[in-house]
Amino acid sequence: MASAPNNTESTLASFIWNNANDLWGDFPHTEFGKIILPFTVLRRLECVLEPTKDVVLNTYEQFKDQGMALDDILANVSGNPFYNKSTYNLSNLGGTKTKANLEDYIANFSENVRVIFEQFDFSTTINKLAKANLLLRICTNFAAIDLHPSVVPDRTMSNVYEHLIARFGAEVGTGSEDFMTPRDIVHLAATLLLEPDNELFEQKNGLIRTIYDQTCGTSGFLTDMMNYVDGFKDRYKVAPVLVPHGQELQPETHAVALGSMLLKKLESDPSRDLSQNIKLGSTLSNDFFSGQRFHYQCSNPPFGMSWAKDASAVQLEHKEKGLNGRFGAGLPKATDGSMLFLQNLISKLELPENGGGRGAIILSGSPLFNGSAGSGESEIRRFILENDYLESIVALPTDIFFRTGIGTYIWLISNRKPEHRKGKVQLIDATGMGSSLRKNEGNKRKFIDQDSIDAISRIYADFEESSVSKIFEYSDFGYRRVKVQQPLRMYFDFNEDNRHSFGNNKEFNKLSAVPHDNVKKYIESFADQVKSFEWFTTEFLPNFPSIKITKSFYQSLMNIFGVKSSDAEIVSFNGEVLFDNDLTDYENIPLNRDIQEYMAKEVLPHAPDAVIDSSYADAKDGQVGVVGYEINFNRYFYVFEQPRHPNEIMAEIKELSAEVAQLLGEV
């Protein structure tokens, strides 16, 4: 058996991917990943079972006809939560009945493995390879690769899976970020999430905690979290235990996650099948962990994913359960479900009396500020901040994901903040940290190296103000959107154009013949005159022909003959001041600032007649102005750069012009 190359994960992935060379010509490149991934998972499982293969076969022969529950017996003998009772493996399938023998091999796995290959639709792959006369060759290729965990550790294997997925995604033009997170980001998030509990782990050896990833992909996040606490074995006899749970939407990546979790073992319960905790389906509309809570959570939901397919279930839960459900704080626009995943995470935090919960979720920039005051997005931020769930947000460098260069952020969520963090939020600007990749991987040009992870972790732990760390009261992100109105001011102009417009007005033409003619003559009697609003109310209206002047007729007169002017009089009707809709404005006034003081300083000097519309109030607290929340990173970390002096720019232009002239002269 050939050992896997002992170097980087990408090299190992390339080593496996080279099997695709045998597929060229017989398969479109879009199918390479569908073939390579299941064979990679199969070979890794096979490598794990090899040491106890003969014992399992002997035990099966001994007990197969005795009517006993063989699953538990064979799993116990295997030393794993799965087994295979076939005499075949990838190296002995034979050249004449390869297809039948491979199908027999797969069929004789325990059920928890068979479901993996069902989700890969592996039977179809086998048939296609057999028809192309490539099945034996591919099986032989993979039989030569040693993927045992002692040779390829869990973290490396997880990276391999995701390198393959990334490469497959690049081949078919799909967004691989939908189901994978670069390992450097995972490691940073794991460190930020778990490092604050190092002292807890030290005090309570063998502490058992639950962890959940609502969009678990290939389970890389879960694996990294579990590996982190496994590191405590170097210091303690019994390391902490994280019991993983996850849910994934895509069958193929779910299948990889099942394979990964089958190989994970809990020191306190080594026979436990952890793949049973990894569910397939939409987290938003089909929550397999409804009502459950977890000590730790990690998640990288797809950026900008529409939740239209989940809308019926989500809207029903929002309506019927409110804050007793997952989405009671609000619903975002249907084009982006990120903030639904954020709410789901919060709903599953373990209760404080049971140790509390912490979560790390990776989001794009839009959840920081999308939606105005009163919108679903703003109300979700309001719920998080006013309930003191947000601990910190870390801004990551751009160009750090495989297929997008957008800015991304790690939100740290907690319902068990230490005393010095209560009511406060720490923002960390790590956009300038990290290193450049020697070779770009898609859009990924940068990575968070270990030195940067250590630095960011220290900044977070120190909880101090600096050029890259800002600490705020949660209310600093809030504001009231106040409606400001100005009185309508106008005079009246009875010029020919306005009179003609009035003659075509529907309110005027509703009148019967006699009042119609009387009104027309009355209007014509003021031809080409300009009058004040006081005249309009004291002389024009009192002497108007005998008709009932409705509000709509009154409005028509003002719309046609009225001319708005800041120098004119204020308009009122029946003692009620009318406001100019064109001058209506909205002011976002910080929550921590007095509204009247703000008006006096910021508004009234420019609009002395401006007044606040007191009817425009917040639905929750009833106070004037609708409450909104946003977190504007650029505002808090903006650094002014002195523009270059014009003389310097002019000198550079002259220098460049001289070079151009010289080049033209040479031509």
Side-chain angles (χ1 to χ4, degrees), residues 92-138:
N92 68 356
L93 295 171
T96 57
K97 295 183 179 180
T98 308
K99 176 177 177 292
N101 293 343
L102 180 56
E103 289 172 339
D104 177 78
Y105 180 33
I106 299 298
N108 278 286
F109 271 107
S110 51
E111 184 179 356
N112 52 5
V113 173
R114 293 199 304 272
V115 70
I116 295 174
F117 294 101
E118 288 171 5
Q119 289 183 17
F120 276 131
D121 193 16
F122 196 47
S123 60
T124 299
T125 297
I126 292 173
N127 287 331
K128 288 182 177 180
L129 286 170
K131 288 180 180 179
N133 293 318
L134 290 173
L135 184 59
L136 180 60
R137 182 181 300 179
I138 296 299

Side-chain angles (χ1 to χ4, degrees), residues 298-319:
C298 49
S299 180
N300 176 28
F303 305 141
M305 184 197 78
S306 168
W307 52 280
K309 293 181 179 179
D310 301 298
S312 296
V314 169
Q315 290 166 353
L316 183 64
E317 182 172 344
H318 171 76
K319 179 181 179 181

Side-chain angles (χ1 to χ4, degrees), residues 102 275 333 352 372 380 409 478 492 496 501 510 550 581 643 653:
L102 180 56
S275 71
K333 291 182 178 64
S372 59
I380 295 168
Y409 303 79
F492 289 82
E496 183 178 355
S501 296
K510 286 180 182 178
T550 62
N581 291 333
I653 292 174

Side-chain angles (χ1 to χ4, degrees), residues 153-289:
D154 284 343
R155 181 178 294 175
T156 303
M157 197 68 235
S158 180
N159 288 1
V160 169
Y161 288 140
E162 296 191 355
H163 274 297
L164 289 172
I165 291 172
R167 191 162 178 178
F168 173 56
E171 291 288 334
V172 300
T174 58
S176 60
E177 71 272 10
D178 285 349
F179 43 77
M180 65 179 296
T181 311
R183 194 59 49 222
D184 51 324
I185 303 177
V186 170
H187 188 45
L188 171 61
T191 303
L192 292 171
L193 185 61
L194 297 174
E195 196 170 70
D197 286 347
N198 282 354
E199 185 177 342
L200 177 66
F201 296 147
E202 292 170 6
Q203 293 173 351
K204 298 183 178 181
N205 286 355
L207 187 67
I208 298 176
R209 286 289 184 260
T210 54
I211 188 165
Y212 166 66
D213 185 346
Q214 60 186 320
T215 54
C216 70
T218 62
S219 79
F221 234 143
L222 293 172
T223 298
D224 211 66
M225 297 289 184
M226 296 174 75
N227 288 340
Y228 182 95
V229 298
D230 280 346
F232 282 81
K233 290 178 181 177
D234 298 334
R235 285 176 278 174
Y236 312 109
K237 293 181 179 179
V238 183
V241 174
L242 291 183
V243 182
H245 302 74
Q247 188 161 338
E248 169 56 26
L249 179 63
Q250 301 296 335
E252 289 185 356
T253 45
H254 177 251
V256 174
L258 291 178
S260 296
M261 285 298 119
L262 272 175
L263 302 180
K264 298 294 291 182
K265 294 184 179 181
L266 301 181
E267 191 165 342
S268 58
D269 188 7
S271 64
R272 183 170 179 176
D273 179 3
L274 297 179
S275 71
Q276 298 301 309
N277 293 343
I278 309 299
K279 306 298 183 181
L280 175 67
S282 171
T283 296
L284 299 181
S285 58
N286 187 19
D287 181 14
F288 278 91
F289 299 96

Side-chain angles (χ1 to χ4, degrees), residues 519-582:
V519 170
K520 183 177 181 180
K521 290 177 183 179
Y522 185 65
I523 294 296
E524 289 295 333
S525 69
F526 305 107
D528 300 325
Q529 296 184 32
V530 175
K531 299 290 187 179
S532 68
F533 183 75
E534 182 181 2
W535 170 88
F536 177 75
T537 58
T538 59
E539 296 188 33
F540 180 79
L541 291 180
N543 295 304
F544 206 81
S546 301
I547 66 167
K548 181 180 180 182
I549 301 180
T550 62
K551 190 169 184 177
S552 59
F553 194 93
Y554 177 86
Q555 192 65 52
S556 296
L557 290 170
M558 290 200 301
N559 290 343
I560 295 170
F561 297 108
V563 178
K564 294 179 181 179
S565 172
S566 59
D567 297 327
E569 299 175 12
I570 294 176
V571 174
S572 63
F573 182 72
N574 291 336
E576 178 185 344
V577 174
L578 301 184
F579 294 97
D580 189 342
N581 291 333
D582 292 336

